[in-house]
Amino acid sequence: MHSQHAVSPSAEHIRRAPKVLLHDHLDGGLRPATIVELAAAVGYGNLPTDDPDALGTWFREAADSGSLERYLETFTHTCAVMQTREALVRVAAECAEDLAADGVVYAEIRYAPEQHLDAGLTLDEVVEAVNEGFRIGEHNAARTGHRIRVGALLTAMRHAARSLEIAELANRYRDAGVVGFDIAGAEAGHPPTRHLDAFEYLQRENFHFTIHAGEAFGLPSIWEAVQWCGADRLGHGVRIIDDIDVKDDGSVSLGRLAAYVRDKRIPLEMCPTSNLQTGAADSYADHPIGLLRKLYFRVTVNTDNRLMSGTSMTREFEHLVDAFGYDLDDMQWFTVNAMKSAFIPFDERLAMINEVIKPGYAALRAEWLFPRG
Ligand SMILES: O=c1[nH]cnc2c1ncn2[C@H]1C[C@H](O)[C@@H](CO)O1
Ligand SMILES: [Zn+2]
């Protein structure tokens, strides 16, 4: 029997397959050439180099330190050039265009509005500029035949004290382009429970949020995010693996927390390349995503920071195909998982799955039936 299922998808297949991205930072995905141009326009003189190629390499190498704290230092440069309305509109538009060209059909892009106030913008102006950029990017992408929908997640920085204000901001724009809330930044020493008032506010408002947890710090951070804060999803969550015991005979037992996360279908926003750079995993083949997928956790595949990780959704899937032998069915499984876990309304998620994602994979799977010439 000739079956597409046994065929490893090519890079071109992977790029054309519909993909869903839930965890991607706006300030971690700029085009190097755009950073150089914006820096010149706003007079930012601290870039390590003005050559776009060299700058792209610099970001990847600087982020490849094995430490989340050092990784996060590289964002000083991207945030520095994202302080004006024009810059934010442009960066957001290019983000949507780049993702659409990579075959992403739905994306939730996060950023921290509080990091874009240095030149005098208000929080509301930041949100409105980014939303405008996403709409422009969606429109431009559609004109080139790539349809994408982009929603914003507003991030509060976990070392700062503005989380309630940012949660209120997110809720204010919830029917105007913002689909949820997030907490990011250095994990060790900044437990999510410090931001309980923000999470409780969002719960009272029936709004959605995800929390970066279990990346640089282990199970206690995941436990707090889930059981104290009520996170709808976990950013990374890789350390849930510490609560899973694989015995020599291959049998597996889950601790209480891992069982809870799986039973409740709590989505894990996994970002393999980012995890290798910050030291949360040693290699693609050793990345917990392989075991978690086998155990049917609600795993999703994400880019985190395309600039710092030199990655894209296509590249993340290429690495996983190499490491675990995934085929188009696996890709569809990850993609449907992600769409089910999105923060847009249920009927829209279902329509994306049934009208866009499944038909897209079906068309790719059927290609072997037709001669190519
Ligand atoms: O992987 C991450 N973990 C924690 N914080 C992160 C990660 N990637 C980016 N950030 C931070 C740096 C950005 O400036 C901020 C908002 O996007 O979120
Ligand atoms: Zn992140």
Side-chain angles (χ1 to χ4, degrees):
M1 259 295 277
H2 187 134
S3 161
Q4 178 68 28
H5 297 188
V7 176
S8 172
S10 66
E12 187 52 20
H13 263 130
I14 297 175
R15 194 186 58 75
R16 283 165 51 217
K19 293 172 289 295
V20 170
L21 173 53
L22 300 180
H23 190 131
D24 185 273
H25 295 258
L26 185 67
D27 51 331
L30 288 77
R31 299 175 187 169
T34 298
I35 302 176
V36 171
E37 283 178 35
L38 291 176
V42 300
Y44 176 68
N46 289 340
L47 285 186
T49 161
D50 286 341
D51 175 69
D53 287 339
L55 188 61
T57 306
W58 181 87
F59 272 105
R60 286 195 298 281
E61 289 177 352
D64 205 12
S65 63
S67 134
L68 177 60
E69 284 73 11
R70 299 253 309 275
Y71 182 91
L72 294 175
E73 282 167 18
T74 61
F75 289 80
T76 314
H77 298 297
T78 54
C79 287
V81 301
M82 296 169 71
Q83 299 298 335
T84 62
R85 204 191 108 71
E86 296 71 32
L88 289 168
V89 171
R90 172 170 175 184
V91 168
E94 291 180 353
C95 168
E97 289 165 26
D98 292 351
L99 294 177
D102 192 43
V104 175
V105 293
Y106 177 82
E108 291 178 1
I109 305 297
R110 64 189 74 194
Y111 64 98
E114 67 200 65
Q115 299 191 130
H116 304 277
L117 307 177
D118 295 351
L121 292 178
T122 64
L123 290 170
D124 289 64
E125 285 168 341
V126 170
V127 173
E128 284 167 25
V130 172
N131 283 348
E132 185 179 328
F134 287 150
R135 302 294 81 77
I136 292 171
E138 288 170 340
H139 182 78
N140 290 345
R143 282 196 317 191
T144 64
H146 300 289
R147 288 188 305 175
I148 185 169
R149 228 182 111 173
V150 179
L153 301 178
L154 301 193
T155 293
M157 300 308 290
R158 58 200 314 156
H159 58 267
R162 301 188 78 159
S163 46
L164 180 57
E165 192 185 356
I166 302 301
E168 288 168 348
L169 180 72
N171 191 46
R172 228 173 24 255
Y173 282 91
R174 67 189 289 175
D175 296 316
V178 174
V179 298
F181 174 80
D182 165 54
I183 292 263
E187 193 171 2
H190 304 286
T193 39
R194 275 191 42 190
H195 305 279
L196 260 187
D197 52 349
F199 302 125
E200 284 171 358
Y201 163 78
L202 292 167
Q203 286 178 311
R204 285 196 300 274
E205 293 294 333
N206 305 300
F207 203 32
H208 309 293
F209 57 96
T210 175
I211 299 180
H212 277 75
E215 177 187 18
F217 204 68
L219 293 174
S221 173
I222 297 180
W223 176 69
E224 283 198 10
V226 172
Q227 305 300 9
W228 286 81
C229 306
D232 295 288
R233 307 194 306 234
L234 292 169
H236 300 286
V238 267
R239 297 318 326 159
I240 196 67
I241 201 82
D242 299 345
D243 202 33
I244 300 176
D245 189 24
V246 183
K247 311 227 168 37
D248 289 341
D249 66 0
S251 64
V252 175
S253 71
L254 304 190
R256 295 272 189 223
L257 179 60
Y260 187 90
V261 167
R262 186 171 73 162
D263 290 342
K264 289 286 221 178
R265 317 306 300 137
I266 295 176
L268 303 174
E269 304 161 356
M270 312 216 94
C271 311
T273 303
S274 166
N275 291 159
L276 300 195
Q277 289 178 297
T278 61
D282 293 333
S283 68
Y284 292 104
D286 291 328
H287 194 283
I289 195 169
L291 179 62
L292 295 169
R293 187 260 177 276
K294 268 197 212 139
L295 296 174
Y296 290 97
F297 278 75
R298 175 72 74 81
V299 184
T300 68
V301 175
N302 302 274
T303 48
D304 209 11
N305 298 292
R306 286 167 290 120
L307 170 68
M308 286 73 179
S309 295
T311 196
S312 64
M313 280 300 275
T314 296
R315 276 189 215 118
E316 291 301 313
F317 273 113
E318 281 182 275
H319 289 305
L320 297 178
V321 166
D322 273 356
F324 302 109
Y326 291 147
D327 59 19
L328 283 175
D329 289 354
D330 295 295
M331 270 193 77
Q332 178 175 322
W333 183 80
F334 283 115
T335 306
V336 169
N337 270 352
M339 200 63 240
K340 285 179 178 170
S341 311
F343 287 158
I344 54 170
F346 173 73
D347 55 341
E348 296 173 25
R349 285 182 260 155
L350 209 59
M352 286 293 284
I353 291 170
N354 290 327
E355 317 300 343
V356 178
I357 296 168
K358 288 186 175 172
Y361 281 90
L364 283 175
R365 268 195 296 268
E367 279 185 2
W368 66 274
L369 291 167
F370 304 100
R372 294 203 125 206

Coordinates of all heavy atoms in Angstrom, one line a residue, residues 99-163:
L99 N 4.4 35.7 9.1 CA 3.8 34.4 9.6 C 2.9 33.8 8.5 O 2.9 32.6 8.2 CB 2.9 34.7 10.8 CG 3.7 35.1 12.1 CD1 2.8 35.4 13.2 CD2 4.7 34.0 12.5
A100 N 2.2 34.7 7.8 CA 1.3 34.2 6.7 C 2.1 33.6 5.6 O 1.7 32.5 5.1 CB 0.4 35.4 6.2
A101 N 3.2 34.2 5.3 CA 4.1 33.6 4.2 C 4.6 32.3 4.6 O 5.0 31.4 3.8 CB 5.2 34.6 3.9
D102 N 4.7 32.0 5.9 CA 5.2 30.8 6.5 C 4.1 29.7 6.6 O 4.3 28.6 7.1 CB 5.9 31.0 7.8 CG 6.7 29.9 8.3 OD1 7.4 29.2 7.5 OD2 6.6 29.5 9.5
G103 N 2.9 30.1 6.2 CA 1.8 29.1 6.3 C 1.0 29.1 7.6 O 0.2 28.2 7.9
V104 N 1.2 30.2 8.4 CA 0.4 30.3 9.7 C -0.9 30.9 9.4 O -1.0 31.9 8.7 CB 1.2 31.1 10.7 CG1 0.3 31.3 12.0 CG2 2.5 30.5 11.1
V105 N -2.0 30.2 9.8 CA -3.4 30.7 9.5 C -4.0 31.4 10.6 O -4.9 32.2 10.5 CB -4.3 29.5 9.0 CG1 -3.8 29.0 7.6 CG2 -4.4 28.4 10.0
Y106 N -3.5 31.1 11.8 CA -4.0 31.8 13.0 C -2.9 32.0 14.0 O -2.1 31.0 14.3 CB -5.1 31.0 13.7 CG -5.6 31.6 15.0 CD1 -6.5 32.6 15.0 CD2 -5.1 31.2 16.2 CE1 -6.9 33.3 16.1 CE2 -5.5 31.9 17.4 CZ -6.4 32.9 17.4 OH -6.8 33.5 18.5
A107 N -2.7 33.2 14.5 CA -1.6 33.4 15.5 C -2.1 34.3 16.6 O -2.9 35.3 16.4 CB -0.4 34.1 14.8
E108 N -1.6 34.0 17.8 CA -1.8 35.0 19.0 C -0.4 35.5 19.3 O 0.5 34.7 19.6 CB -2.4 34.2 20.1 CG -3.8 33.9 19.8 CD -4.6 33.1 20.9 OE1 -3.9 32.8 22.0 OE2 -5.7 32.7 20.7
I109 N -0.2 36.8 19.1 CA 1.1 37.4 19.3 C 1.1 38.3 20.5 O 0.2 39.1 20.7 CB 1.4 38.3 18.0 CG1 1.3 37.5 16.7 CG2 2.8 39.0 18.2 CD1 2.3 36.4 16.6
R110 N 2.1 38.1 21.3 CA 2.2 38.8 22.6 C 3.3 39.8 22.7 O 4.3 39.7 22.0 CB 2.3 37.7 23.8 CG 3.6 37.0 23.7 CD 3.6 35.8 24.8 NE 2.8 34.7 24.3 CZ 2.4 33.7 25.1 NH1 2.7 33.7 26.4 NH2 1.6 32.7 24.7
Y111 N 3.0 40.8 23.5 CA 4.1 41.8 23.8 C 3.7 42.5 25.1 O 2.5 42.4 25.5 CB 4.2 42.8 22.6 CG 2.9 43.6 22.4 CD1 2.7 44.9 22.9 CD2 1.8 43.0 21.8 CE1 1.6 45.6 22.8 CE2 0.6 43.7 21.6 CZ 0.5 45.0 22.1 OH -0.7 45.7 22.0
A112 N 4.6 43.2 25.7 CA 4.3 43.9 26.9 C 4.2 45.4 26.7 O 5.2 46.1 26.5 CB 5.5 43.7 27.9
P113 N 3.0 45.9 26.7 CA 2.8 47.4 26.4 C 3.6 48.3 27.3 O 4.1 49.3 26.8 CB 1.3 47.6 26.7 CG 0.7 46.2 26.4 CD 1.7 45.2 26.9
E114 N 3.9 47.9 28.5 CA 4.6 48.7 29.4 C 6.1 48.9 28.9 O 6.7 49.8 29.4 CB 4.6 48.1 30.8 CG 5.4 46.8 30.9 CD 5.0 46.0 32.2 OE1 3.8 45.5 32.2 OE2 5.8 45.7 33.0
Q115 N 6.5 48.1 28.0 CA 7.9 48.3 27.5 C 8.0 49.2 26.3 O 9.0 49.3 25.6 CB 8.5 46.9 27.1 CG 8.5 45.9 28.3 CD 9.3 44.7 28.0 OE1 10.2 44.3 28.7 NE2 9.0 44.0 26.9
H116 N 6.9 49.8 25.9 CA 6.9 50.7 24.7 C 6.4 52.1 25.0 O 5.8 52.7 24.2 CB 6.0 50.0 23.7 CG 6.5 48.6 23.3 ND1 7.5 48.3 22.5 CD2 6.1 47.4 23.9 CE1 7.7 47.0 22.5 NE2 6.9 46.4 23.3
L117 N 6.7 52.6 26.2 CA 6.2 53.9 26.7 C 7.3 54.9 26.7 O 7.1 56.1 27.1 CB 5.6 53.8 28.1 CG 4.5 52.7 28.2 CD1 4.0 52.6 29.7 CD2 3.3 52.9 27.3
D118 N 8.6 54.6 26.3 CA 9.7 55.5 26.6 C 9.6 56.8 25.8 O 10.2 57.8 26.2 CB 11.0 54.8 26.2 CG 11.3 53.6 27.1 OD1 10.6 53.4 28.1 OD2 12.3 52.8 26.8
A119 N 9.0 56.8 24.6 CA 8.9 58.0 23.8 C 7.6 58.7 24.0 O 7.2 59.6 23.3 CB 9.2 57.7 22.4
G120 N 6.9 58.4 25.1 CA 5.7 59.1 25.4 C 4.3 58.6 25.0 O 3.3 59.2 25.2
L121 N 4.3 57.4 24.3 CA 3.0 56.8 24.0 C 2.3 56.3 25.3 O 3.0 56.0 26.3 CB 3.2 55.5 23.1 CG 3.7 55.7 21.7 CD1 3.9 54.3 21.0 CD2 2.8 56.6 20.9
T122 N 1.0 56.3 25.3 CA 0.2 55.8 26.4 C 0.0 54.3 26.1 O 0.2 53.8 25.0 CB -1.2 56.4 26.5 OG1 -1.9 56.1 25.3 CG2 -1.0 58.0 26.7
L123 N -0.4 53.6 27.2 CA -0.7 52.1 27.0 C -1.7 51.9 25.9 O -1.6 51.0 25.1 CB -1.1 51.5 28.3 CG -0.1 51.4 29.5 CD1 -0.8 51.0 30.8 CD2 1.0 50.4 29.1
D124 N -2.7 52.7 25.9 CA -3.8 52.5 24.9 C -3.3 52.8 23.5 O -3.6 52.1 22.6 CB -5.0 53.5 25.2 CG -5.8 53.1 26.4 OD1 -5.2 53.1 27.5 OD2 -6.9 52.7 26.3
E125 N -2.4 53.8 23.4 CA -1.9 54.1 22.0 C -1.0 53.0 21.5 O -1.0 52.6 20.3 CB -1.0 55.4 22.1 CG -1.9 56.6 22.2 CD -1.2 57.9 22.5 OE1 0.0 57.9 23.0 OE2 -1.7 59.0 22.2
V126 N -0.3 52.3 22.5 CA 0.6 51.2 22.1 C -0.3 50.1 21.5 O -0.1 49.5 20.4 CB 1.4 50.7 23.3 CG1 2.1 49.3 22.9 CG2 2.4 51.7 23.7
V127 N -1.4 49.7 22.3 CA -2.3 48.6 21.9 C -2.9 49.0 20.5 O -3.0 48.1 19.6 CB -3.3 48.4 22.9 CG1 -4.4 47.4 22.5 CG2 -2.7 47.9 24.2
E128 N -3.3 50.2 20.4 CA -4.0 50.6 19.1 C -3.1 50.5 17.9 O -3.4 50.1 16.8 CB -4.7 51.9 19.3 CG -6.0 51.8 20.1 CD -6.6 53.1 20.6 OE1 -6.3 54.1 19.9 OE2 -7.3 53.1 21.6
A129 N -1.8 50.9 18.1 CA -0.8 50.9 17.0 C -0.6 49.4 16.6 O -0.6 49.1 15.4 CB 0.5 51.6 17.5
V130 N -0.4 48.6 17.6 CA -0.1 47.2 17.3 C -1.3 46.5 16.6 O -1.2 45.8 15.6 CB 0.3 46.4 18.5 CG1 0.4 44.9 18.2 CG2 1.6 46.9 19.1
N131 N -2.5 46.8 17.1 CA -3.7 46.3 16.4 C -3.8 46.7 15.0 O -4.1 46.0 14.1 CB -4.9 46.6 17.2 CG -5.1 45.8 18.5 OD1 -4.4 44.8 18.7 ND2 -6.0 46.2 19.3
E132 N -3.5 48.0 14.8 CA -3.6 48.5 13.4 C -2.6 47.8 12.5 O -2.9 47.5 11.4 CB -3.3 50.1 13.4 CG -3.5 50.7 12.1 CD -3.2 52.2 12.1 OE1 -3.5 52.8 13.1 OE2 -2.7 52.7 11.1
G133 N -1.4 47.6 13.0 CA -0.4 46.9 12.3 C -0.8 45.5 11.9 O -0.6 45.0 10.8
F134 N -1.4 44.8 12.9 CA -1.9 43.4 12.6 C -3.0 43.5 11.4 O -2.9 42.6 10.5 CB -2.5 42.8 13.8 CG -1.4 42.3 14.8 CD1 -1.7 42.3 16.2 CD2 -0.2 41.9 14.4 CE1 -0.8 41.9 17.1 CE2 0.8 41.5 15.4 CZ 0.5 41.5 16.7
R135 N -3.9 44.4 11.5 CA -4.9 44.5 10.5 C -4.3 44.8 9.1 O -4.7 44.2 8.1 CB -5.9 45.6 10.8 CG -6.7 45.5 12.1 CD -7.6 44.3 12.3 NE -7.0 43.1 12.6 CZ -6.5 42.7 13.8 NH1 -6.6 43.5 14.8 NH2 -5.9 41.5 14.0
I136 N -3.3 45.7 9.1 CA -2.6 46.0 7.8 C -1.9 44.7 7.3 O -2.0 44.3 6.1 CB -1.6 47.1 8.0 CG1 -2.4 48.4 8.3 CG2 -0.7 47.3 6.7 CD1 -1.5 49.6 8.7
G137 N -1.2 44.0 8.2 CA -0.5 42.8 7.8 C -1.4 41.7 7.3 O -1.1 41.0 6.3
E138 N -2.6 41.6 8.0 CA -3.6 40.6 7.5 C -4.0 40.9 6.1 O -4.1 40.0 5.2 CB -4.8 40.5 8.4 CG -4.5 39.9 9.8 CD -5.7 40.2 10.8 OE1 -6.5 41.1 10.5 OE2 -5.8 39.4 11.8
H139 N -4.3 42.2 5.9 CA -4.7 42.6 4.6 C -3.7 42.4 3.5 O -4.0 41.9 2.4 CB -5.1 44.1 4.7 CG -5.7 44.7 3.5 ND1 -7.0 44.5 3.1 CD2 -5.1 45.5 2.5 CE1 -7.2 45.1 1.9 NE2 -6.1 45.7 1.6
N140 N -2.4 42.8 3.8 CA -1.4 42.6 2.8 C -1.1 41.2 2.5 O -0.9 40.8 1.4 CB -0.1 43.2 3.3 CG -0.1 44.8 3.3 OD1 -1.0 45.4 2.7 ND2 0.8 45.4 4.1
A141 N -1.2 40.3 3.5 CA -1.0 38.9 3.3 C -2.1 38.3 2.4 O -1.9 37.5 1.5 CB -1.0 38.2 4.7
A142 N -3.4 38.7 2.7 CA -4.5 38.2 1.9 C -4.3 38.6 0.4 O -4.6 37.8 -0.5 CB -5.8 38.8 2.4
R143 N -3.7 39.8 0.2 CA -3.5 40.2 -1.2 C -2.5 39.3 -1.9 O -2.5 39.2 -3.1 CB -3.1 41.6 -1.3 CG -4.2 42.6 -1.1 CD -3.8 44.0 -1.5 NE -2.5 44.2 -1.0 CZ -1.8 45.4 -1.0 NH1 -2.5 46.4 -1.6 NH2 -0.6 45.5 -0.5
T144 N -1.6 38.6 -1.2 CA -0.6 37.7 -1.8 C -1.1 36.3 -1.7 O -0.3 35.4 -1.9 CB 0.8 37.9 -1.1 OG1 0.7 37.5 0.2 CG2 1.3 39.3 -1.2
G145 N -2.4 36.1 -1.3 CA -2.9 34.8 -1.3 C -2.7 34.0 0.0 O -3.0 32.8 0.1
H146 N -2.3 34.7 1.0 CA -2.1 34.0 2.3 C -3.0 34.6 3.3 O -2.9 35.7 3.7 CB -0.6 34.2 2.8 CG 0.4 33.7 1.9 ND1 0.7 32.3 1.8 CD2 1.3 34.3 1.2 CE1 1.7 32.2 0.9 NE2 2.1 33.4 0.5
R147 N -4.0 33.7 3.8 CA -4.9 34.2 4.7 C -4.5 33.9 6.1 O -4.1 32.8 6.4 CB -6.3 33.6 4.5 CG -7.0 34.2 3.2 CD -8.4 33.8 3.1 NE -8.5 32.3 3.2 CZ -9.6 31.6 3.2 NH1 -10.7 32.2 3.2 NH2 -9.6 30.3 3.2
I148 N -4.5 35.0 7.0 CA -4.1 34.8 8.4 C -5.0 35.6 9.3 O -5.4 36.7 8.9 CB -2.6 35.1 8.6 CG1 -2.2 34.8 10.1 CG2 -2.3 36.6 8.3 CD1 -0.7 34.9 10.3
R149 N -5.2 35.1 10.5 CA -5.9 35.9 11.5 C -5.0 36.1 12.7 O -4.4 35.1 13.1 CB -7.2 35.2 11.9 CG -8.3 36.1 11.9 CD -9.5 35.4 12.4 NE -9.9 35.9 13.7 CZ -11.0 35.6 14.3 NH1 -11.8 34.7 13.8 NH2 -11.3 36.1 15.5
V150 N -4.8 37.3 13.2 CA -3.9 37.5 14.3 C -4.6 38.2 15.4 O -5.3 39.2 15.3 CB -2.7 38.5 13.8 CG1 -1.8 38.7 15.0 CG2 -2.0 37.9 12.6
G151 N -4.5 37.6 16.6 CA -5.0 38.2 17.8 C -3.8 38.6 18.7 O -2.7 38.0 18.6
A152 N -4.0 39.6 19.6 CA -2.9 40.1 20.5 C -3.1 39.5 21.9 O -4.3 39.4 22.4 CB -2.9 41.6 20.5
L153 N -2.0 39.2 22.5 CA -2.0 38.9 24.0 C -1.2 40.0 24.6 O -0.1 40.2 24.2 CB -1.4 37.5 24.2 CG -2.0 36.3 23.6 CD1 -1.1 35.0 24.0 CD2 -3.4 36.1 24.1
L154 N -1.7 40.6 25.7 CA -1.0 41.6 26.4 C -0.2 40.9 27.5 O -0.8 40.3 28.4 CB -1.9 42.7 26.9 CG -2.7 43.5 25.8 CD1 -3.3 44.7 26.4 CD2 -1.8 43.8 24.6
T155 N 1.1 41.2 27.5 CA 2.0 40.6 28.6 C 2.3 41.6 29.6 O 2.5 42.8 29.3 CB 3.3 40.1 27.9 OG1 3.0 39.0 27.0 CG2 4.3 39.7 28.9
A156 N 2.2 41.1 30.9 CA 2.8 42.0 32.0 C 4.1 41.3 32.4 O 4.3 40.1 32.3 CB 1.8 42.0 33.2
M157 N 5.1 42.1 32.7 CA 6.4 41.6 33.1 C 6.4 41.2 34.6 O 6.0 41.9 35.4 CB 7.5 42.7 32.8 CG 7.6 43.1 31.4 SD 7.7 41.7 30.2 CE 9.4 41.1 30.5
R158 N 6.9 40.0 34.8 CA 6.7 39.4 36.1 C 7.5 40.0 37.2 O 7.2 39.9 38.4 CB 6.9 37.9 36.1 CG 8.2 37.4 35.6 CD 8.1 35.9 35.1 NE 7.4 35.1 36.1 CZ 6.8 34.0 35.7 NH1 6.8 33.5 34.5 NH2 6.2 33.2 36.7
H159 N 8.6 40.7 36.8 CA 9.4 41.4 37.8 C 8.8 42.8 38.2 O 9.2 43.4 39.1 CB 10.9 41.6 37.4 CG 11.0 42.3 36.1 ND1 11.0 41.7 34.8 CD2 11.0 43.7 35.8 CE1 11.0 42.6 33.9 NE2 11.0 43.8 34.4
A160 N 7.9 43.3 37.3 CA 7.3 44.6 37.5 C 6.1 44.5 38.3 O 5.6 43.5 38.8 CB 7.1 45.3 36.2
A161 N 5.4 45.7 38.5 CA 4.2 45.7 39.4 C 3.0 46.3 38.6 O 2.2 47.0 39.2 CB 4.5 46.5 40.6
R162 N 2.9 46.0 37.3 CA 1.8 46.7 36.6 C 0.8 45.6 36.1 O 0.0 45.9 35.2 CB 2.4 47.4 35.4 CG 3.4 48.5 35.8 CD 3.8 49.4 34.6 NE 2.7 50.3 34.3 CZ 3.0 51.4 33.6 NH1 4.2 51.7 33.2 NH2 2.0 52.3 33.3
S163 N 0.9 44.4 36.6 CA 0.1 43.4 36.0 C -1.4 43.7 36.1 O -2.1 43.4 35.1 CB 0.4 42.0 36.6 OG 0.4 42.1 38.0

